Amino acid sequence: MERVPQEAGAAEARGAVAGRARRFAATGVVLVLLVVVLVVVAVSAYRLGGGGNGERAAPSVTPTPTPGATLTAAEVFTRTGPSVVVIRAGRSLGTGVIAAEDGTILTANHVVKGAKDVTVTFADGTRAKAAVASSDPRRDVATLKPAGLPEIVVPATLGGAVAVGAPVVAIGNPLGLTYSLSTGVVSGLDRTVEDGGLNGLIQFDASVNPGSSGGPLLDARGLVIGIVVSIADPGGDEAFAGIAFAVPIGAALGGSEGDGPPGDGPQI
């Protein structure tokens, strides 16, 4: 009985099986590689997407500070302090704020009223004589033109809405204590100081005293919203009693020379 054909057939069968095994093995390798690629892609998508909820991860970029950002009182002082000046006019001491690139200073009219000798000291220590460029007794505001300027002039940023309850910062030279800062809130709007004939004033409760007149009243963004002009003085001792007033910056900028009430109320 011949067995050769059977062995040959068996060999062919084994070869076919081996071929299929090789094909299956190759297919398996491809599938494994495909699975690995899919896993990597899925993990990458998860990380880039910020999680499995379909939300994208927030970019880790620090926002650039803008004038619209709310600042701390310390930040307001750092930003606006270089714009504040000390004013000495005869025996009168007051405050002013640089309102323009050319060094024009806004202050209270009663600080410089009738003075023949006005000196301003800038934040960097520079001193200069100054002349009264304009005055408006009706609003108790005046502008000064210094004869000299510091190497770097830092004008304040003017403007800003005013609302009752909004935080405010006052910078001035009360009682000769230069560059003093106080904080409070807007207590009222459109107030009138009868004795001085002033109206449309901002009422606030940040402490101010003699020497603070003419200084800036600032909002939480560091914008000048008013010029400090007076305090309520029920005791007649020229001391802060919790109520102070400022001319809104819009009215202060609209000042011009002209006759009006002398503005000799309870001023500081």
Side-chain angles (χ1 to χ4, degrees), residues 98-198:
I98 302 173
E101 295 284 350
D102 64 359
T104 297
I105 296 168
L106 265 175
T107 187
N109 182 62
H110 72 266
V111 170
V112 297
K113 178 185 174 183
K116 296 180 180 179
D117 185 19
V118 179
T119 302
V120 297
T121 304
F122 295 90
D124 69 346
T126 300
R127 291 187 180 184
K129 297 293 185 180
V132 178
S134 67
S135 63
D136 185 351
R138 293 169 297 181
R139 296 186 177 94
D140 195 13
V141 292
T143 60
L144 305 179
K145 284 288 188 180
L149 296 172
E151 184 176 350
I152 299 176
V153 177
V154 184
T157 304
L158 309 180
V162 184
V164 174
V168 290
V169 172
I171 301 176
N173 309 299
L175 307 177
L177 299 171
T178 57
Y179 294 94
S180 295
L181 176 145
S182 59
T183 62
V185 298
V186 174
S187 306
L189 299 173
D190 199 23
R191 299 303 199 201
T192 297
V193 177
E194 298 293 347
D195 292 342
L198 302 175

Side-chain angles (χ1 to χ4, degrees), residues 7 69 83 160 164:
E7 293 177 358
S83 307
V164 174

Side-chain angles (χ1 to χ4, degrees), residues 76-77 79-87 94-99 105-108 154-159 167-174 179-184 202 204 206-208 211-219 222-229 244-249 252 268:
V76 170
F77 183 81
R79 174 176 291 186
T80 312
S83 307
V84 178
V85 302
V86 180
I87 299 175
T95 306
V97 59
I98 302 173
I105 296 168
L106 265 175
T107 187
V154 184
T157 304
L158 309 180
V168 290
V169 172
I171 301 176
N173 309 299
Y179 294 94
S180 295
L181 176 145
S182 59
T183 62
I202 301 169
F204 63 96
S207 62
V208 289
S212 297
S213 274
L217 183 68
L218 305 128
D219 66 11
L223 303 180
V224 179
I225 60 173
I227 300 298
V228 177
V229 292
F245 303 98
V247 177
I249 189 62
I268 51 174

